Amino acid sequence: MADYYQQFLSSMSGAALHPASPDEYSASSSASGAPHTASGQAQGIYQTSGYFMGYPDQLLLNAPKTHKGRRKSATGLPPSIDNVKHRRTRSGCFMCRSRRVKCDETRPICERCRKGNRECVYPEPPAPKGVPGPSLRMREGMNLSQHTSPLSSTGDDEEDGDTGSKLESILDVEEGEDLPQKFLSHYPSRPVGATFGATQPSLGRRGSETPSQEGNKSSSPSASTATSNSFTTVTFQSSDLPIPSVGRLDLSHLPPQTQRHMAWFSDNMTHFHYCISHDGDNFFKNMLPAIAVSDEALLNALVGFSAYHTTLQDPEGKLEDFLQYYNKSVTLLLGSLKRKEKHTITTLLTILQLATVEEYLGDWVNLMGHQKAAFEIITTMFSPQTIVQTPVGRACYTWYSRFDNFIGLMGGFPTDLPREYFTAMVNFSQAQAIAHPEAIRWKLDERRASLNVITYDMSIVFARGSRGQLTTEEFNNEHQLLTERLEEWKNSWDPTLTDPNFAVTEFPYRQPPDPLDIVDPYALGILYEPPLFSTTIMTVEWYSIMLMHKTQSSNTRSEILFPELSRHAYATCQYFEALEFWPSTPKGVLVTVQACISLAALFLPREERHQMWLRRKLAVAETQGYIYPLSLRSKMAAHFGDPSCVRWWLPDDRGFSRVLQTIRKFADERNAAAMTAQQESLREVRHLFAKLELRTREAH
């Protein structure tokens, strides 16, 4: 993989092991609840905490200085780490390393940690020669051969013989040396597949495909680049992967704590926790954990995600309970990339899992970093034709394409994945639905895939419009065509998917009417029981997409547009509360639909009853672990006219637990680093809010 992602991960390793306490949260927050900043940088506990700050030390925002006379990389990407002018190795405690200060290595507590009253943790000492350490024992139990921990590897930059506790190098960088803009706009600067020409994954068979460019006239620049070059692809078969056919997954070879987290994942996590509306192959529940036990980096990423949720539910939970696994996953992935190991399907899944945690922490910029790397791998491993052929391939497409569309729509720039991948999934699902007319899952797959194609085209039109690449007339014509396609999608459901026999018509859990409520959560025609539950989720997603789409209209009069937007907003709220109150709602569903509420909030009356209802729902979403970034909270606080919403949605910190305060503080500080123009556009969601604010002024 290109050096950019290795540098990206290098800046992420070494997560701080001293999370902020709720008291520190209050002490370092302004009156409005926002953390103090200086020069665009967070000035709190995590200001220089490596990975979990994202870009705090300008490792990626500024290129490393090279010696005089040394040529720049031919690719335009950051020069090799071997060319860095200043280089030093940290081999002290994790805290000093994460704070980028010299550690005197006094044990058990170094001088800096003692003076700062910080937790001082050193890497585990290497096992004696001939005695396998716990990491090696676990790998041997899983028959692993390719994911050796980088902490036990040797390199040219070693400064001592303690290879077992050696930490990654930290680069000195100087201000004023920006990376090329293409680094942040479209990472691959060479033909897709060139990086992977000699990296055949260990699973599956090798082949070659060159997808057609027909029907992709509106694709993004990166998409056209990807489809104009031949790339190596691999077809994965289910038999290639360690997936048990029956029975519960065997975890007996794993450490006890890892077993507990994996068991909790299997019992509690669903595809809805990944914001995936439908998972016909049951990939996230069954297949992903089975694959993870054969790969240490993916296993730690999955365990970290599980630990994040259990930490959130534990009143005594500590942030490091989750960070230790996530940081280890990053370190293992980085080590694999540095050793130029072959990229396997587990490499892609690990990156996607890490990106999922970034989304939960509200770090859309770091999410984009992982998304770009996943794009490079997925378009190398799969062609549009091969990616749909196996459950793993379909899951990789679904998982990645959601990030791709999310980043494109929120940031106002084109989607990376070529359109052929989206249409291939539609065509495959339609063919399967015809071949298996009794199988509901394929009909649902087709509904989801068709909506994905529309959102892909939306991202292209919005990006071209915001960049002035379309005239006003051209944009209006494209916008109208998208409106018609969205309406047609809503009105063309197969009757099987709205079978009234599966509709929820009885509400024994009904509560007396609440004068503070704004919708009826017990209305008929909203909730569907399995196997049609995904019908409910895709419908509420449609309402949210329509809201986003309609706000970008430039030729609809406000007196016509706003009543329609209001109807969509109320419908979205009704679906959310119906799902919140229904006892049979699967776990994770409120995370899937939380984004719908934050958008609907902008089109409801600005009066106390509506605003407090919305604030209660936003609080519910964050208690599920989905942290809203500071930039979004600030805009919502301005919309509500209450600065206290920046700190928390409800008065007197109702529902704002100590562990949630710690996580929120942590997320705020790591998201406060300086941004490039494109990254800031994503973080601030400027192109959306610009239109929303304009429409709101017109309405009043």
Side-chain angles (χ1 to χ4, degrees):
M1 179 173 293
D3 289 342
Y4 77 87
Y5 192 60
Q6 292 187 30
Q7 294 197 35
F8 176 77
L9 290 177
S10 294
S11 73
M12 294 179 168
S13 58
L17 298 177
H18 175 62
S21 67
D23 295 335
E24 289 169 331
Y25 181 101
S26 302
S28 62
S29 299
S30 63
S32 64
H36 294 295
T37 60
S39 303
Q41 298 287 334
Q43 297 297 317
I45 297 300
Y46 300 105
Q47 180 178 354
T48 55
S49 59
Y51 171 79
F52 289 96
M53 273 299 294
Y55 304 111
D57 300 298
Q58 301 181 327
L59 180 60
L60 297 181
L61 300 180
N62 298 296
K65 178 174 285 189
T66 58
H67 291 294
K68 285 187 177 181
R70 197 163 274 174
R71 292 183 300 171
K72 293 182 179 179
S73 168
T75 64
L77 291 170
S80 167
I81 1 185
D82 293 331
N83 293 337
V84 177
K85 180 177 181 180
H86 300 296
R87 182 184 184 90
R88 60 184 181 270
T89 300
R90 305 294 191 212
S91 55
C93 70
F94 283 120
M95 179 54 65
C96 287
R97 178 182 180 242
S98 67
R99 297 179 65 239
R100 297 183 183 270
V101 296
K102 182 168 181 59
C103 179
D104 62 12
E105 302 185 44
T106 302
R107 297 174 186 259
I109 302 177
C110 73
E111 185 66 14
R112 289 186 182 273
C113 289
R114 185 186 63 79
K115 288 183 178 180
N117 194 27
R118 300 182 179 92
E119 184 174 358
C120 188
V121 179
Y122 286 91
E124 293 182 5
K129 290 184 178 181
V131 180
S135 178
L136 179 58
R137 286 195 296 268
M138 185 173 73
R139 287 194 299 275
E140 289 175 345
M142 295 184 291
N143 294 319
L144 293 176
S145 61
Q146 64 201 44
H147 285 276
T148 305
S149 171
L151 297 182
S152 63
S153 64
T154 60
D156 297 336
D157 59 333
E158 285 186 359
E159 295 182 358
D160 53 55
D162 188 9
T163 59
S165 60
K166 182 182 182 301
L167 300 176
E168 298 297 330
S169 299
I170 296 177
L171 309 182
D172 280 341
V173 294
E174 300 188 21
E175 298 181 3
E177 300 176 293
D178 296 336
L179 289 178
Q181 181 61 30
K182 65 181 175 181
F183 168 74
L184 294 168
S185 58
H186 298 289
Y187 285 146
S189 61
R190 64 193 84 180
V192 172
T195 305
F196 294 87
T199 56
Q200 177 187 359
S202 59
L203 301 176
R205 291 183 291 274
R206 196 183 185 104
S208 179
E209 294 281 351
T210 305
S212 170
Q213 289 182 323
E214 294 180 5
N216 194 29
K217 295 181 180 180
S218 62
S219 63
S220 67
S222 64
S224 62
T225 300
T227 56
S228 62
N229 297 278
S230 298
F231 49 80
T232 302
T233 60
V234 176
T235 300
F236 294 97
Q237 303 296 333
S238 296
S239 58
D240 296 325
L241 299 169
I243 302 170
S245 56
V246 293
R248 193 174 180 88
L249 185 62
D250 181 14
L251 305 172
S252 59
H253 59 284
L254 300 177
Q257 191 66 20
T258 301
Q259 290 186 42
R260 286 193 289 272
H261 284 303
M262 287 295 287
W264 192 93
F265 183 97
S266 297
D267 293 339
N268 295 277
M269 302 297 282
T270 70
H271 58 92
F272 296 115
H273 286 95
Y274 291 84
C275 299
I276 303 296
S277 60
H278 177 63
D279 181 14
D281 293 306
N282 213 14
F283 172 83
F284 291 94
K285 188 72 172 178
N286 292 339
M287 300 174 73
L288 181 59
I291 297 171
V293 297
S294 68
D295 183 280
E296 197 173 358
L298 178 57
L299 178 64
N300 277 276
L302 208 63
V303 169
F305 192 47
S306 177
Y308 176 77
H309 286 85
T310 56
T311 296
L312 192 69
Q313 297 175 11
D314 183 1
E316 304 300 324
K318 297 180 180 179
L319 198 57
E320 58 263 33
D321 294 342
F322 132 74
L323 295 186
Q324 60 178 322
Y325 295 108
Y326 196 49
N327 185 61
K328 185 174 182 181
S329 176
V330 172
T331 304
L332 290 168
L333 177 61
L334 176 60
S336 175
L337 297 177
K338 285 186 174 182
R339 291 190 297 274
K340 309 297 184 183
E341 292 179 353
K342 295 178 181 179
H343 302 298
T344 67
I345 195 69
T346 56
T347 307
L348 175 60
L349 295 175
T350 302
I351 293 172
L352 292 173
Q353 182 63 64
L354 295 175
T356 299
V357 178
E358 296 293 354
E359 182 182 5
Y360 266 75
L361 293 174
D363 195 333
W364 297 342
V365 173
N366 269 352
L367 168 59
M368 182 172 68
H370 291 299
Q371 174 251 325
K372 297 294 183 181
F375 165 77
E376 189 175 345
I377 296 180
I378 201 169
T379 52
T380 301
M381 284 187 169
F382 300 103
S383 73
Q385 293 73 34
T386 61
I387 200 168
V388 301
Q389 296 301 320
T390 63
V392 175
R394 291 191 292 270
C396 289
Y397 157 80
T398 302
W399 199 351
Y400 170 81
S401 64
R402 183 190 161 272
F403 286 142
D404 209 358
N405 276 336
F406 176 83
I407 292 293
L409 289 172
M410 299 298 281
F413 31 83
T415 302
D416 286 333
L417 195 66
R419 194 174 190 271
E420 287 89 346
Y421 286 83
F422 292 83
T423 55
M425 187 60 69
V426 174
N427 295 335
F428 179 80
S429 300
Q430 289 175 343
Q432 292 298 313
I434 294 173
H436 308 282
E438 302 302 318
I440 291 177
R441 61 77 45 99
W442 294 116
K443 300 178 189 295
L444 290 170
D445 277 2
E446 186 277 330
R447 289 284 82 192
R448 182 196 62 200
S450 298
L451 191 58
N452 282 350
V453 173
I454 298 175
T455 55
Y456 169 92
D457 291 338
M458 284 174 58
S459 73
I460 300 299
V461 171
F462 291 174
R464 296 181 66 194
S466 64
R467 295 177 179 184
Q469 296 172 345
L470 295 174
T471 66
T472 301
E473 182 179 1
E474 289 172 337
F475 179 84
N476 289 338
N477 290 338
E478 294 287 347
H479 190 276
Q480 179 59 34
L481 289 174
L482 286 169
T483 301
E484 294 172 2
R485 290 172 60 191
L486 283 166
E487 294 288 357
E488 195 274 336
W489 183 90
K490 181 67 163 57
N491 297 325
S492 61
W493 282 74
D494 187 305
T496 305
L497 303 182
T498 55
D499 186 343
N501 291 321
F502 292 95
V504 176
T505 57
E506 297 181 358
F507 307 95
Y509 56 92
R510 182 193 297 267
Q511 297 295 316
D514 185 351
L516 299 179
D517 215 339
I518 63 171
V519 292
D520 178 13
Y522 310 109
L524 300 178
I526 293 180
L527 299 173
Y528 284 88
E529 296 178 340
L532 302 185
F533 181 72
S534 293
T535 295
T536 297
I537 304 303
M538 284 189 276
T539 302
V540 68
E541 288 178 336
W542 179 87
Y543 279 112
S544 182
I545 291 170
M546 282 295 290
L547 275 174
M548 183 179 296
H549 175 67
K550 288 287 188 178
T551 58
Q552 303 303 302
S553 173
S554 60
N555 64 343
T556 305
R557 297 196 309 273
S558 298
E559 60 269 23
I560 297 176
L561 179 62
F562 268 90
E564 185 177 3
L565 291 174
S566 180
R567 287 195 298 272
H568 289 322
Y570 274 112
T572 299
C573 294
Q574 189 174 38
Y575 271 83
F576 186 95
E577 191 162 80
L579 290 166
E580 180 189 5
F581 290 173
W582 190 35
S584 298
T585 295
K587 296 177 180 179
V589 165
L590 296 184
V591 173
T592 298
V593 299
Q594 54 74 32
C596 306
I597 284 294
S598 57
L599 187 59
L602 303 173
F603 304 101
L604 296 177
R606 290 190 176 186
E607 52 86 28
E608 184 177 2
R609 182 168 66 97
H610 281 77
Q611 293 193 356
M612 286 307 301
W613 185 93
L614 288 164
R615 289 167 65 174
R616 289 196 298 271
K617 304 311 174 186
L618 292 170
V620 167
E622 284 214 57
T623 57
Q624 302 288 310
Y626 198 94
I627 305 300
Y628 291 114
L630 177 62
S631 57
L632 189 145
R633 299 199 315 267
S634 299
K635 292 181 183 297
M636 296 302 295
H639 179 77
F640 293 145
D642 187 349
S644 69
C645 291
V646 175
R647 173 179 166 80
W648 183 240
W649 303 108
L650 301 178
D652 303 322
D653 284 353
R654 292 201 306 270
F656 200 22
S657 66
R658 290 178 64 85
V659 65
L660 184 55
Q661 290 179 40
T662 300
I663 293 173
R664 172 83 86 77
K665 171 64 176 176
F666 172 75
D668 282 351
E669 289 191 351
R670 70 193 291 264
N671 294 345
M675 297 289 129
T676 66
Q678 187 191 43
Q679 290 172 326
E680 191 167 355
S681 176
L682 172 62
R683 189 178 69 174
E684 301 289 336
V685 201
R686 288 184 172 179
H687 75 291
L688 289 178
F689 275 99
K691 289 287 184 70
L692 299 179
E693 291 168 357
L694 176 62
R695 291 297 186 183
T696 302
R697 287 196 297 269
E698 291 174 354
H700 293 83

